[in-house]
Amino acid sequence: MELIKGDIPKKYFNELATWLDQEQAFDKAQHEALLLQRSVQERIALGVTWFPIAITDSELGRGDYLTITVSKTTHPEEGHRFRYGMPVSLFSNHNPRQDRLQGIIAFASRDTLRISFRVDELPAWSRGGRLGIDLLFDENSYKEMHRALDEANLALTDKKQGYLVRQLLGGPDVRETASNPVYENDRLNPSQNKAIAHILGENPLSLLHGPPGTGKTTTLIYAVQELLKQRPQQLLIVAPSNTAVDVLTERLDAAGVSVVRIGNPVKVSDHLQELTLDAQVDNHAAHKTIKTLEKQARAYVDMAHKYKRNFGKAERDQRKALFDEARKIRKEIDRMLDYIVQDVFTKAQVITATLVGANHYTIRDRRYKTVIIDEAAQALEPACWIPILKADRVVLAGDHCQLPPTVKSNHQTSKGLYHTLFEKLIAQHPNHVSLLDVQYRMNAQIMKYPSLALYADRLQAAPTVAHWTLQGDDSPIMFIDTAGAGYEETVVDHAISNRDEAHFLCNHLASFVADLNISPTDHAFPSIGIITPYRAQSLYLREIIAQDDRLQPYTKQLQVNTIDSFQGQEKDVIYISLTRSNAKQEIGFLADTRRMNVAMTRARKKLIVIGNSSTIGYHDFYGGFLDYIDSLARHRSVWEWIS
């Protein structure tokens, strides 16, 4: 779906809503099948179930919700998918299908959850047997996205509210680029200064295009500081993932900006927790009064719970009176909390949240002169409209040449929800685009091909990194060709792997670390990442590397994962296992060159790509890569090591 010049038909948002419906139906079916068809142990391994759990605290919370605190009792180190605001179900192992109570996560950490239930007390079955928590399908995110699309559709015909919407979509009242102020900062390069100048202007839209290693986040932080300095205002800064929001929150705080984080951070950091709305409310001077009132409310609830279940009318009336008294106190607490929350927000310069978190009940009705969306190229378009509808002007930052958003229902990567708002706006409003063109991560030879293939050869390496290599190494980039070696891929239940290629990589890696002649405990030992597009290949690589005695001393320095999991990371050395090797030249995932861009640009000082040239060479991107490798005389054959 392209953007439209002239009148914007209603079908624009209707089409988005249709695609979102498809995604929601597919996502829900997948999640429900997971809960129904997988065992408890499988669900635990997938991070959607905690079992068994221990209830460590309970209290009557905001809005008459019973809030309980639960902790893992086994495997506290394992990751999970539980996040703030998601729906969950408390269940008993006696009758897990029927003994269930639904609630909402009020807090989530590595091994602790606080869950709110709309009941006075837990059901009787919760006091017998072992309890667990299942993560339910998150309808709320989809509801918020649908609500935003409906509001955006209505805004098209509203002269005032729809002004920004029409401008973004190329409507008749789109404004030409306004003149920008001059901004010069000696700590930044010219492209970063130019980008900040554009953000400081009166433009309704700024697009910050930040290729890998070009300092996009640094540029945003300086832009925020200057916006706050030149015209004091409260900013809303959002991103599609909690991890990205955490990074921005920490960087803003380190820069001396007063920031409030909506929701719970994914990162386990005491300081980051202190920046959350909950923590700032708890630390507010007026919160001492709330603590006193909460003790009173808890006392009434405790007295009510002392009555047994089989009692007469008098006892029932007394129990009800005690609960009513607790509710009265709770309403007073809620009024005080509202005051504290508003006071915290009044003093904040920046509010940070996920895209959906921008509609958190505490900030749902707030408007902002400027809204900044980071990692916009990884965001579903319907989610972007949630914060945009709160803005007078908007800044989108990202790189549409890296990973696209996660779309489960459609694998045609050029259609539907894969085609992001950031991408559309870059094409529609080139005068509003600021490209950061100096990268501070990679040796120039590693950078050159992604720059040629995806960035019109506009990137340059900063002098500090342009020529850096591993000590004694003169080959920062290399392609090892497996053509003719018989390393054929295998497909099992749609999972693709290449065991021969994996074993070769393992052997090459063992020789490589031995030749470094550096102790793995020495700070000079390089960080090493092993990347592949395929999960089955990454799992097999992880398995054989863990079993290889030659690599045992180096396991802490090695990280093996899929490309998607490496987004945002960088290593001194990167191995890429392309995996695909077949006579039909089928390359599947590899055809999405954005993924390969991410993989190649994770490397700082050395990049080693292993694959079959006869399988990948027919694709323009890989054919061009092989030509580039040949021009450097870095095309090697696997036979050089086999023989």
Side-chain angles (χ1 to χ4, degrees), residues 478 480 503-513 575 608 641:
M478 179 193 307
I480 301 178
H503 281 287
F504 172 77
L505 188 154
C506 189
N507 289 329
H508 190 279
L509 176 61
S511 297
F512 175 77
V513 294
Y575 277 84
I608 301 170
W641 284 270

Side-chain angles (χ1 to χ4, degrees), residues 10 370 558:
K10 296 278 186 180
T370 304
L558 305 176

Side-chain angles (χ1 to χ4, degrees), residues 190-456:
S191 68
Q192 291 173 320
N193 281 321
K194 185 178 178 182
I196 293 174
H198 192 280
I199 291 170
L200 294 175
E202 294 300 324
N203 308 287
L205 170 68
S206 286
L207 297 164
L208 180 62
H209 184 187
T214 54
K216 172 176 62 67
T217 303
T218 297
T219 305
L220 280 180
I221 299 302
Y222 276 106
V224 168
Q225 289 179 286
E226 198 62 28
L227 275 171
L228 294 171
K229 180 178 164 185
Q230 289 194 10
R231 41 178 188 263
Q233 56 183 296
Q234 187 172 80
L235 305 177
L236 174 65
I237 304 182
V238 292
S241 72
N242 276 289
T243 302
V245 177
D246 289 348
V247 169
L248 288 166
T249 303
E250 280 198 314
R251 292 284 299 273
L252 287 164
D253 177 66
V257 174
S258 171
V259 58
V260 177
R261 163 75 153 100
I262 301 295
N264 299 134
V266 172
K267 288 180 67 178
V268 183
S269 160
D270 289 341
H271 183 61
L272 195 52
Q273 297 289 345
E274 289 171 5
L275 300 175
T276 64
L277 175 61
D278 287 349
Q280 295 192 45
V281 167
D282 287 346
N283 294 330
H284 194 277
H287 200 262
K288 290 179 182 177
T289 306
I290 288 178
K291 287 289 186 186
T292 303
L293 291 172
E294 283 178 339
K295 285 181 182 177
Q296 294 175 15
R298 185 187 289 267
Y300 281 116
V301 171
D302 288 345
M303 283 190 281
H305 285 162
K306 286 178 182 176
Y307 286 93
K308 300 193 182 297
R309 294 201 161 265
N310 298 318
F311 44 72
K313 183 179 183 305
E315 289 85 356
R316 202 160 38 244
D317 289 345
Q318 182 62 24
R319 176 184 166 93
K320 181 179 181 300
L322 290 167
F323 274 127
D324 287 345
E325 208 53 48
R327 287 193 186 94
K328 285 180 187 176
I329 297 172
R330 187 67 240 180
K331 286 179 181 176
E332 179 61 27
I333 292 171
D334 288 350
R335 280 193 291 272
M336 290 199 68
L337 279 172
D338 288 339
Y339 159 73
I340 294 173
V341 166
Q342 292 311 311
D343 192 48
V344 169
F345 283 137
T346 299
K347 295 171 181 174
Q349 294 174 295
V350 172
I351 297 171
T352 60
T354 60
L355 295 166
V356 174
N359 252 5
H360 186 267
Y361 74 92
T362 57
I363 57 171
R364 181 181 290 275
D365 298 323
R366 298 180 86 88
R367 283 196 62 83
Y368 310 87
K369 172 75 174 171
T370 304
V371 166
I372 298 174
I373 303 176
D374 193 18
E375 302 297 356
Q378 291 184 56
L380 294 176
E381 180 174 347
C384 288
W385 287 106
I386 298 171
I388 290 173
L389 291 169
K390 303 174 185 298
D392 295 329
R393 57 193 299 268
V394 64
V395 178
L396 282 80
D399 180 15
H400 55 294
C401 300
Q402 294 189 64
L403 289 181
T406 300
V407 179
K408 300 173 184 177
S409 59
N410 188 334
H411 296 293
Q412 298 182 50
T413 57
S414 62
K415 296 184 178 181
L417 296 177
Y418 275 110
H419 196 25
T420 64
L421 181 62
F422 184 78
E423 239 179 310
K424 296 173 187 177
L425 294 176
I426 287 253
Q428 186 77 23
H429 301 295
N431 290 336
H432 294 272
V433 179
S434 300
L435 174 72
L436 303 182
D437 57 17
V438 181
Q439 65 84 19
Y440 299 87
R441 176 185 299 163
M442 295 160 272
N443 178 289
Q445 287 187 21
I446 297 172
M447 174 206 72
K448 185 64 174 177
Y449 185 67
S451 178
L452 280 166
L454 299 168
Y455 303 104

